[in-house]
Amino acid sequence: MPLAEPLPIVLYPDPFLNQKARALTDAEFASGKAGGWNLAELVDRMKATMYDAEGIGLAAPQVGVGLRLFLMDISENRDAAIAVFNPELLDMDGSEDAEEGCLSIPDVRASVKRAQSLKLKGRDIRGEPFELNAEDLLARVIQHENDHLDGILFITKIGMAAKFMQRRKLAALEDDYELLKRRKTKGK
Ligand code: NI
């Protein structure tokens, strides 16, 4: 089956990435529609976006959709994506440092401290509740993606030294964003 068309990824420092996303209602699950999207189509296009960009997670705000939804797939074959709606993170335990990146902040990588294990509660695309226990990389992806739903980027959780190391790449992204914004304003 051919993949759906990828969506453009919202890049740092677009302020949309700092907004809190909203939960889906039971009525939206029942209708299969929310935020102007058919949910099945949104998930398909987010999957295509994540695989195209070679990511292991993607949150809806990263494609400009302010809904509490993220995808994750840490499988080697890249064929086991799980869509999590209205996630809740419980029983966060332990602590682990590891390097992270983000599709919205290209080329920037830095170490972030995260809980080592947690329980994820969420809803599937039909609104059916499910739970899973996660540790290590999967727990990390869940925490990173869930942060996106609260408008939090991983670079706000890295140390001063790491931020200093990445400052040129961040500044370049900031310059690109300003340039794009100015071009858009001129085009009006
Ligand atoms: Ni990210």
Side-chain angles (χ1 to χ4, degrees):
M1 198 178 76
L3 278 178
E5 197 188 335
L7 292 160
I9 295 177
V10 179
L11 296 177
Y12 169 87
D14 192 313
F16 191 79
L17 294 171
N18 303 120
Q19 287 180 28
K20 213 175 143 97
R22 73 164 176 87
L24 285 87
T25 65
D26 288 338
E28 286 172 328
F29 283 119
S31 70
K33 293 191 175 83
W37 278 92
N38 172 302
L39 296 179
E41 190 191 345
L42 176 59
V43 168
D44 278 352
R45 295 199 63 187
M46 282 178 63
K47 249 185 229 179
T49 311
M50 179 174 74
Y51 290 142
D52 188 58
E54 294 176 12
I56 55 175
L58 182 72
Q62 294 182 274
V63 291
V65 177
L67 296 173
R68 298 190 85 78
L69 157 66
F70 65 74
L71 300 190
M72 55 189 188
D73 186 355
I74 60 164
S75 72
E76 248 168 58
N77 292 337
R78 320 285 294 140
D79 59 359
I82 301 175
V84 187
F85 292 81
N86 294 358
E88 278 178 84
L89 277 48
L90 305 165
D91 302 340
M92 290 168 67
D93 198 20
S95 169
E96 218 170 50
D97 272 299
E99 208 177 62
E100 290 184 21
C102 179
L103 296 180
S104 291
I105 318 172
D107 301 329
V108 172
R109 297 193 66 81
S111 186
V112 185
K113 195 188 286 294
R114 301 278 188 188
Q116 185 268 331
S117 66
L118 56 83
K119 182 196 288 274
L120 169 68
K121 277 187 167 189
R123 309 272 211 110
D124 69 12
I125 194 165
R126 287 175 198 85
E128 295 295 329
F130 69 91
E131 278 183 24
L132 65 89
N133 293 310
E135 49 187 34
D136 301 323
L137 179 60
L138 188 59
R140 177 169 297 277
V141 173
I142 291 168
Q143 291 168 82
H144 177 117
E145 299 313 327
N146 192 65
D147 272 352
H148 274 297
L149 307 185
D150 290 325
I152 298 167
L153 298 176
F154 86 99
I155 50 169
T156 64
K157 297 192 160 179
I158 67 178
M160 290 289 285
K163 199 142 195 190
F164 186 76
M165 296 278 287
Q166 303 292 337
R167 71 193 184 286
R168 283 200 188 85
K169 286 175 191 163
L170 291 171
L173 286 165
E174 287 159 17
D175 287 348
D176 287 350
Y177 179 75
E178 284 306 316
L179 209 67
L180 201 73
K181 212 168 64 178
R182 236 175 289 150
R183 248 184 242 152
K184 273 185 193 163
T185 320
K186 261 190 193 166
K188 268 182 192 163

